[in-house]
């Protein structure tokens, strides 16, 4: 059993007062250089390890972290992010951690700046930011830096912004991997369908765009003759309109048997295939949302790539906790695993509870 080292023991050995030791341990001012040298020498000799958890609890301060993410519906990657963030808040309840969420509209500069300004005015202890365009995000993060508010980047890595930390997949590697896995099934195909969801003609995240770059890189290297046909399903439409677009697509492209999408909405195609009883077509997609899992089990989705959205949300909050509350060093770059989920192993894949 490791013997507990008391402040009284340190003070006695260093020949200083208990108050001096306390000021040194908590990095408070008004300690003479000579006394500081004595205490630090004793701490090293005694191999003193401070109980950072006990110290943080004793401080009895509350902390507020803001999460700035896109406005979204249910059954998405972002919903899992929220669940993870709130779970981390609950896990650190004893430390009075509070998580608040602000939503911005995708591709809307005014909305992004407005929500960022609300966050800045609230003067939080830390912020989790989903980046927009580099110049726009830089404008936002510079304001946080000026106010000494640490921030973590989520989803897209922009090292020039100097975040405290980053959590997300290596999108290029993920896209390359997805092509490699898809072509294990579709190596004899002449045409592959790429389903995109866009708003105002643009894909809804940089991560998806980078995955597509990785995907096309693999296809150009290994299957340059395969024709990749894009189908755009605008985010503003409903299921009925999606089904009309999909019916028209498959009637015109009857040689398509394999599809891929780089977002969490593979279930749109998967549910259509089940609804129309098309058993000769499958789609591959991302994220362990319930509708995707249902389609995977029923066979209309071939594979899902898991990117641990729940764990990302949890880890972002926990990283702010460790850095701000515990004053601990944190990893600057945290790439999430790229994991392939099929109907054979989905029941054994569990959301990681920390």
């Amino acid at each position: 059993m490791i013997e507990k080292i008391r402040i009284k023991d340190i003070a006695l050995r260093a020949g200083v007062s208990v108050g001096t030791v306390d000021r040194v341990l908590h990095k408070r001012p008004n300690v003479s250089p000579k006394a500081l040298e004595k205490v630090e020498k004793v701490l090293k000799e005694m191999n003193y390890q401070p109980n950072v958890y006990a110290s943080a609890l004793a401080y009895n301060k509350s902390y507020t972290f803001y999460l700035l993410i896109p406005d979204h519906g249910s059954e998405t990657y972002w919903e899992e992010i929220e669940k993870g963030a709130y779970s981390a808040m609950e896990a650190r309840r004893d430390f009075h951690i509070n998580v608040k969420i602000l939503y911005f509209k995708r591709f809307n500069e005014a909305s992004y700046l407005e929500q960022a300004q609300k966050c800045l005015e609230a003067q939080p202890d830390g912020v989790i930011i989903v980046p927009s365009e580099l110049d726009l995000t830089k404008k936002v993060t510079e304001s946080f830096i000026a106010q000494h508010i640490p921030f973590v980047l989520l989803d897209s890595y922009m090292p020039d912004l100097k975040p405290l930390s980053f959590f997300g997949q290596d999108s290029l590697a993920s896209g390359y991997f997805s092509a490699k896995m898809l072509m294990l099934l579709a190596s004899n195909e002449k045409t592959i369908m790429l389903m995109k969801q866009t708003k105002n003609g643009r894909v809804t995240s940089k991560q998806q765009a980078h995955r597509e770059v990785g995907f096309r890189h693999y296809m150009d290297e290994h299957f340059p003759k395969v024709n990749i046909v894009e189908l755009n399903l605008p985010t503003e439409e409903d299921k009925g309109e999606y089904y009309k677009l999909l019916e028209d697509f498959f009637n015109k492209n009857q040689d398509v048997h394999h599809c891929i999408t780089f977002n969490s909405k593979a279930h749109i195609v998967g549910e259509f295939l089940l609804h129309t009883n098309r058993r000769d077509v499958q789609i591959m997609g991302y994220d362990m949302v319930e509708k995707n899992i249902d389609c995977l089990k029923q066979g209309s989705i071939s594979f899902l790539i898991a990117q641990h959205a729940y764990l990302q949300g949890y880890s972002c909050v926990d990283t702010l906790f460790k850095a701000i509350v515990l004053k601990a060093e944190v990893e600057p770059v945290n790439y999430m695993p790229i994991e392939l989920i099929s109907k054979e192993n989905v029941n054994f894949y569990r959301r990681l509870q920390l």
Side-chain angles (χ1 to χ4, degrees):
M1 182 176 179
I2 299 174
E3 184 180 356
K4 183 178 180 181
I5 301 174
R6 301 175 302 176
I7 291 181
K8 180 179 178 181
D9 301 325
I10 299 169
L12 185 62
R13 187 162 173 175
V16 298
S17 69
V18 170
T20 297
V21 175
D22 184 73
R23 286 193 292 275
V24 172
L25 292 177
H26 293 91
K27 303 187 186 308
R28 297 192 184 106
N30 302 322
V31 179
S32 70
K34 187 174 181 180
L36 177 62
E37 183 181 355
K38 286 181 178 180
V39 174
E40 288 181 339
K41 181 182 178 188
V42 170
L43 291 175
K44 186 174 181 180
E45 290 174 350
M46 300 178 76
N47 193 27
Y48 175 78
Q49 300 295 326
N51 188 335
V52 290
Y53 282 87
S55 298
L57 282 170
Y59 194 43
N60 199 33
K61 182 182 184 300
S62 61
Y63 302 86
T64 300
F65 302 146
Y66 269 73
L67 176 57
L68 184 62
I69 63 173
D71 192 12
H72 61 85
S74 61
E75 295 290 343
T76 65
Y77 162 78
W78 304 111
E79 187 176 39
E80 285 291 294
I81 292 287
E82 289 186 23
K83 290 177 181 177
Y86 282 132
S87 182
M89 179 183 73
E90 289 299 318
R92 305 300 185 184
R93 179 174 292 277
D94 288 346
F95 295 88
H96 311 291
I97 301 298
N98 188 29
V99 173
K100 295 185 178 182
I101 300 178
L102 291 172
Y103 301 99
F104 64 87
K105 296 178 181 178
R106 281 280 190 184
F107 308 119
N108 187 318
E109 181 175 332
S111 174
Y112 194 77
L113 292 174
E114 178 185 357
Q115 296 303 92
Q117 183 60 32
K118 285 183 181 179
C119 181
L120 187 66
E121 290 173 357
Q123 288 292 293
D125 297 283
V127 182
I128 300 160
I129 303 173
V130 174
S132 181
E133 299 295 329
L134 178 59
D135 290 343
L136 180 60
T137 310
K138 186 176 182 180
K139 185 185 300 185
V140 168
T141 56
E142 284 179 345
S143 65
F144 288 121
I145 292 171
Q147 296 294 326
H148 305 289
I149 300 173
F151 63 92
V152 172
L153 290 184
L154 172 64
D155 187 52
S156 298
Y157 186 36
M158 297 180 176
D160 291 347
L161 302 182
K162 297 180 173 58
L164 173 69
S165 188
F166 161 75
F167 286 89
Q169 273 191 348
D170 182 328
S171 299
L172 291 172
S174 177
Y176 193 92
F177 173 80
S178 70
K180 191 173 185 178
M181 295 301 100
L182 177 66
M183 297 315 290
L184 292 177
L185 300 177
S187 59
N188 294 323
E189 299 296 317
K190 294 181 180 179
T191 306
I192 301 292
M193 185 259 268
L194 169 58
M195 186 273 274
K196 293 185 178 182
Q197 273 209 295
T198 61
K199 187 171 185 178
N200 300 325
R202 301 169 63 184
V203 294
T204 55
S205 83
K206 288 183 175 297
Q207 190 181 61
Q208 291 175 44
H210 291 162
R211 287 173 185 161
E212 184 179 342
V213 172
F215 172 83
R216 289 185 179 276
H217 182 51
Y218 179 88
M219 295 300 291
D220 289 343
E221 282 184 343
H222 300 280
F223 294 90
K225 295 183 179 180
V226 171
N227 184 29
I228 300 172
V229 180
E230 295 186 11
L231 174 64
N232 175 33
L233 300 181
T235 56
E236 299 86 358
E237 302 295 349
D238 58 21
K239 181 184 285 189
E241 188 61 32
Y242 289 152
Y243 279 17
K244 289 178 184 178
L245 292 169
L246 288 164
E247 185 72 44
D248 182 63
F249 177 88
F250 285 113
N251 285 339
K252 291 178 180 177
N253 297 275
Q254 296 188 20
D255 61 334
V256 170
H257 303 290
H258 291 278
C259 319
I260 191 166
T261 186
F262 300 114
N263 60 40
S264 59
K265 295 287 189 175
H267 61 81
I268 293 176
V269 178
E271 289 174 342
F272 168 80
L273 297 173
L274 293 172
H275 176 73
T276 54
N277 199 31
R278 294 174 186 258
R279 299 294 178 179
D280 62 336
V281 181
Q282 293 178 317
I283 185 168
M284 178 178 176
Y286 280 73
D287 298 329
M288 295 285 288
V289 298
E290 288 301 320
K291 288 184 179 180
N292 282 347
I293 294 171
D294 289 342
C295 290
L296 183 71
K297 290 179 177 179
Q298 294 184 69
S300 60
I301 290 180
S302 54
F303 293 118
L304 289 172
I305 294 180
Q307 58 172 327
H308 292 282
Y310 173 90
L311 180 58
Q312 288 180 58
Y314 188 106
S315 298
C316 285
V317 172
D318 201 50
T319 291
L320 287 175
F321 164 75
K322 290 175 180 175
I324 296 167
V325 181
L326 301 185
K327 313 297 183 187
E329 291 187 9
V330 296
E331 288 292 327
V333 180
N334 302 271
Y335 284 124
M336 307 308 293
I338 303 172
E339 297 183 340
L340 193 68
I341 309 300
S342 70
K343 65 181 179 181
E344 288 78 20
N345 70 353
V346 67
N347 287 334
F348 309 105
Y349 186 89
R350 295 288 183 266
R351 176 190 287 166
L352 185 58
Q353 303 285 355
L354 296 180

